[in-house]
Amino acid sequence: MKKSKIIQLVLVASIISSCDNRDSVPEKKVYMRSDTTATYSHAHGMGLYGGYYAFRPYGIYSYNRFTRAGYYSSAIHEGANIGTNGFKGTVVRGGFGSSVFHVSS
Amino acid sequence: MKRYTIKPRLNWQQKVEEIGFNYHTADTLYWDESAFYEFSAREIDTIDKATNDLWEICLKAVQYVIDYRLYSKFHIPEWFIPQIEESWNNDAPSIYGRLDFTFDNEIPKLLEFNADTPTSLFESSVVQWYWLQDFDHKSDQFNSIHEKLVAYWKYLKEYLYDYPLHFSAVKDCPEDITTTEYMRDCAIQAGLDTKFLYIDEIGWENDHSIFVDNEFFPIRNIFKLYPYEWLINEDFGKNILLDKNRAFWVEPAWKMILSNKAILPMLWQLNNGHENLLESYFEEDKYFLGSNYAKKPLLSREGSNIQLIEYGSVISETKGEYGEEGFIYQKLCPLPEFDNNYPLVGSWIVGQESAGIGIRESDNLITDNLSRFVPHLFS
């Protein structure tokens, strides 16, 4: 088979257009925290994939069992997510990505 | 192979943007539909066959490099070798690659293999296909990339862990994000559960020694548009070996061998005289090439730090940051020329088979980051 018959995209066009329009939507000032041990922070951005602030359960999988430890949102500052919660605090980010800004080859 | 100059579609920018292609113009034009290339069916068959043949000998070459532990030729650090060997021995999932061709008397000749982080995927698979529907929908295009990606993700599903497949790219680069999101699109259509996060959002959970996403969910399958040589050059990369979940990284670590230009002399050594290979050597044997050759760094990207030598003189060269890792030397075989345009044919492998082509065209003999993507058809 050397020729595509039909191409349908379920994701790409909407994702890219939402990236482009990200700054055009005026933001309301909302302050939130996802952990009672954390301070409140200004929630920003609607995330790439939807127009709501999602607080998702997080936890750890061990021996094929999930133990819930709290909630997390990517819309608020890391400090407001973590607080003094020991589990969240053991995660280090930003280790990848320092090499360069563009990958093309 | 012929080149035709044509009038671009009216409102072509809007047309390509509607399908999600927003990086058509940078400082200069990148998507160029003021021309197209036409191939004969025989030429397409030749490229198709060359791609499949080369893929087969590439796999044998990986086995050879591993068997004889030739990693130092590739400048691969000792500590990462177990990851490469584990991924090879476990047949870790691989999805794609792009072989770049020039031509010698109409025979495709391999210039290099972008086996780890090939881009221009979305342009090859989707943008030029939509162009053809407008321009001449009755013509053929060597392009079944989309169907093959969806089908291969479907096939790979049972080889992945029963966890979401994460997709990751660098921030602030529309080209890389689009390529990655397009790949995710295909995986979604194949029925996979997916998540996207930027490469710097990948977290390492110290207590359990596992990678987690930005919602603290374990990462067990991850497609990354980020080269291995950068992953392992950053301290965080050491965690790949410590990962208790033994996450599947797509592309797998063994692709480091094929994406490195050291594979070119290795392929020549193992398949001396193969019609789709150019004679290539490491430093110590470069004298076999005489005074006509290309000098290429092992790891250069976007045509950086390449020198083309003809009759002992430099006829073209590019600058850049690469070369410390060493060079290989390849017989000079210039790109074909059409009115001062030099096309490079990128031939895609999806899964285990040839899937279509994309053409990038430059104003000079070295295809660099100013090259233009030009669509094609065949008759």
Side-chain angles (χ1 to χ4, degrees), chain B residues 83 161 211 219-222 243-249:
Chain B
Q83 182 72 18
Y161 294 116
F211 287 105
I219 294 174
R220 300 204 64 184
N221 311 296
I222 179 164
D243 177 19
K244 292 226 168 102
N245 275 336
R246 306 309 302 141
F248 283 129
W249 290 77

Side-chain angles (χ1 to χ4, degrees), chain B residues 231-246:
Chain B
L231 283 177
I232 66 173
N233 200 33
E234 295 166 2
D235 281 346
F236 218 56
K238 297 267 190 332
N239 295 329
I240 293 173
L241 274 87
L242 302 175
D243 177 19
K244 292 226 168 102
N245 275 336
R246 306 309 302 141

Side-chain angles (χ1 to χ4, degrees), chain A residues 32-100:
Chain A
M32 298 190 292
R33 62 180 178 176
S34 72
D35 198 295
T36 52
T37 67
T39 54
Y40 283 92
S41 114
H42 175 207
H44 56 85
M46 303 300 270
L48 203 54
Y49 311 112
Y52 58 90
Y53 299 108
F55 283 83
R56 294 183 173 84
Y58 74 91
I60 193 72
Y61 279 84
S62 187
Y63 302 105
N64 292 324
R65 193 163 154 259
F66 180 73
T67 309
R68 181 171 293 177
Y71 290 85
Y72 180 87
S73 171
S74 55
I76 57 177
H77 188 271
E78 193 170 315
N81 267 312
I82 293 175
T84 56
N85 186 312
F87 171 77
K88 289 179 183 173
T90 65
V91 174
V92 182
R93 297 184 196 280
F96 288 135
S98 60
S99 289
V100 87

Side-chain angles (χ1 to χ4, degrees), chain B residues 34 86 94 96 107 133 136 146 173 197 202 204 213 222 237 255 312 315 323 327 333 347-348 350:
Chain B
S34 67
E86 181 186 305
S94 156
Y96 71 160
I107 298 170
Q133 307 317 302
D136 180 5
H146 184 79
C173 177
L197 77 168
I202 294 174
W204 176 251
D213 66 17
I222 179 164
K255 279 292 200 75
I315 57 165
F327 292 88
C333 185
S347 185
W348 290 91
V350 174

